[in-house]
Amino acid sequence: MISRRTFAMLAAAGALGPVAARQAAAQLALPEGSARANLTEPLHDMSHWPAEWTGSEQIVMLAYPGLTALDLVGPQYMFGSLWGATVKVVAKTLDPIVSDTRLTIVPDTTFDGAHETPDILFVPGGISGTLNAMEDRDTVDFLSSRGAEARYVTSVCTGAMLLGQAGLLDGYRAATHWLAMKSLDAFGAEAVEARVVRDRNRITGGGVTAGLDFGLAIIEELRGTEYAQSIQLLAEYAPEPPLTVGTLATAPAEVRDRMVAMFPGFDAHVRAIASARL
């Protein structure tokens, strides 16, 4: 029986092929004294998964103070379900990142340690945290350099504005949160009201929860429909929200007007940052 440490070392060294890795993962040692220790059936058995479902993508996910956690966590769940892919949360420093709802995220590496030619560059959104990140030269320069080399340049929610600030959305169609829809043209982008928008190698998601739809779209792009269906089933992603006010179009007027009025200076602030960039 292979230990978790041995499995991790072999996998990192590339000593396990796809089939061997799946079989070894299914036989990871259980804790001493576990009630399951003597069971003969493995907890996981992925030996029947097609070999072509294994990839080797390098995925770089930006994190910064004040981001919206679900913007990052939803897509990270989907990316983490890509068998064989390497997913890294990257930040300016290794200090813990505190989200806008006070959830703390620990980065995997810094900008200097991030893969130089990622298959996917991903940017989450937020509100004040995103605006601050847009004015941070190190963050913007990092996105510019990695975005120029990435196979796919992606975002969810207001993360599209960070892509725009880095010069990565000029001439592209993109999705974003309703709060930023009228602001994207400041970066030369065309805002599209949709859960997921694809324009060449730019794939962007709408506000917050659209990150799950976005993540599934990426999985289908990289691994095919059946793989994506398998992950959707594993996540039991079958949304049936108790309320139907998830868009400006479906929200009651009093709810919509109150929420829109919460951010009177947002568009002006975005345009001031974009103007300073130009």
Side-chain angles (χ1 to χ4, degrees):
M1 181 174 288
I2 188 171
S3 70
R4 295 177 190 276
R5 179 178 176 82
T6 302
F7 170 73
M9 292 175 62
L10 290 173
L16 294 176
V19 175
R22 288 196 292 269
Q23 292 172 340
Q27 298 173 2
L28 288 175
L30 293 166
E32 192 72 26
S34 168
R36 295 178 286 132
N38 294 323
L39 296 179
T40 58
E41 292 295 327
L43 186 61
H44 299 91
D45 180 8
M46 299 176 67
S47 60
H48 57 286
W49 281 45
E52 63 269 20
W53 279 7
T54 300
S56 58
E57 296 88 355
Q58 296 289 331
I59 301 175
V60 170
M61 305 187 75
L62 177 69
Y64 53 88
L67 63 83
T68 296
L70 188 54
D71 285 3
L72 179 76
V73 174
Q76 194 276 341
Y77 176 91
M78 297 300 178
F79 292 160
S81 300
L82 287 166
W83 187 258
T86 299
V87 184
K88 297 288 187 181
V89 175
V90 178
K92 187 173 180 178
T93 73
L94 291 179
D95 295 338
I97 299 291
V98 180
S99 77
D100 57 3
T101 57
R102 309 303 297 172
L103 181 68
T104 300
I105 298 164
V106 180
D108 295 305
T109 188
T110 63
F111 293 165
D112 289 340
H115 202 280
E116 294 186 357
T117 57
D119 291 280
I120 298 173
L121 174 67
F122 171 79
V123 182
I127 301 179
S128 60
T130 305
L131 295 174
N132 290 338
M134 290 166 64
E135 295 188 276
D136 183 82
R137 178 167 295 278
D138 290 338
T139 299
V140 174
D141 287 349
F142 170 76
L143 292 177
S144 295
S145 65
R146 295 309 191 272
E149 302 297 332
R151 178 180 172 194
Y152 295 102
V153 175
T154 72
S155 67
V156 161
C157 198
T158 56
M161 297 192 308
L162 259 168
L163 291 183
Q165 183 73 353
L168 298 172
L169 281 186
D170 190 15
Y172 287 88
R173 301 165 65 250
T176 189
H177 192 280
W178 56 260
L179 178 61
M181 286 287 290
K182 68 177 183 179
S183 303
L184 277 191
D185 65 350
F187 307 102
E190 178 187 350
V192 179
E193 189 173 345
R195 295 287 279 183
V196 181
V197 171
R198 303 179 189 216
D199 187 346
R200 288 157 282 177
N201 75 327
R202 270 52 168 175
I203 304 179
T204 51
V208 191
T209 60
L212 293 171
D213 297 18
F214 158 87
L216 278 176
I218 293 287
I219 288 177
E220 185 175 25
E221 174 82 11
L222 297 176
R223 295 285 196 280
T225 299
E226 188 178 350
Y227 191 109
Q229 289 172 331
S230 301
I231 301 307
Q232 182 175 359
L233 178 58
L234 181 63
E236 200 170 353
Y237 180 45
E240 294 182 5
L243 304 173
T244 56
V245 294
T247 68
L248 292 179
T250 58
E254 61 272 20
V255 174
R256 180 193 65 228
D257 294 346
R258 185 182 303 113
M259 296 307 296
V260 170
M262 281 181 62
F263 309 98
F266 183 83
D267 183 61
H269 197 151
V270 171
R271 292 183 184 281
I273 294 173
S275 177
R277 172 183 67 95
L278 295 174

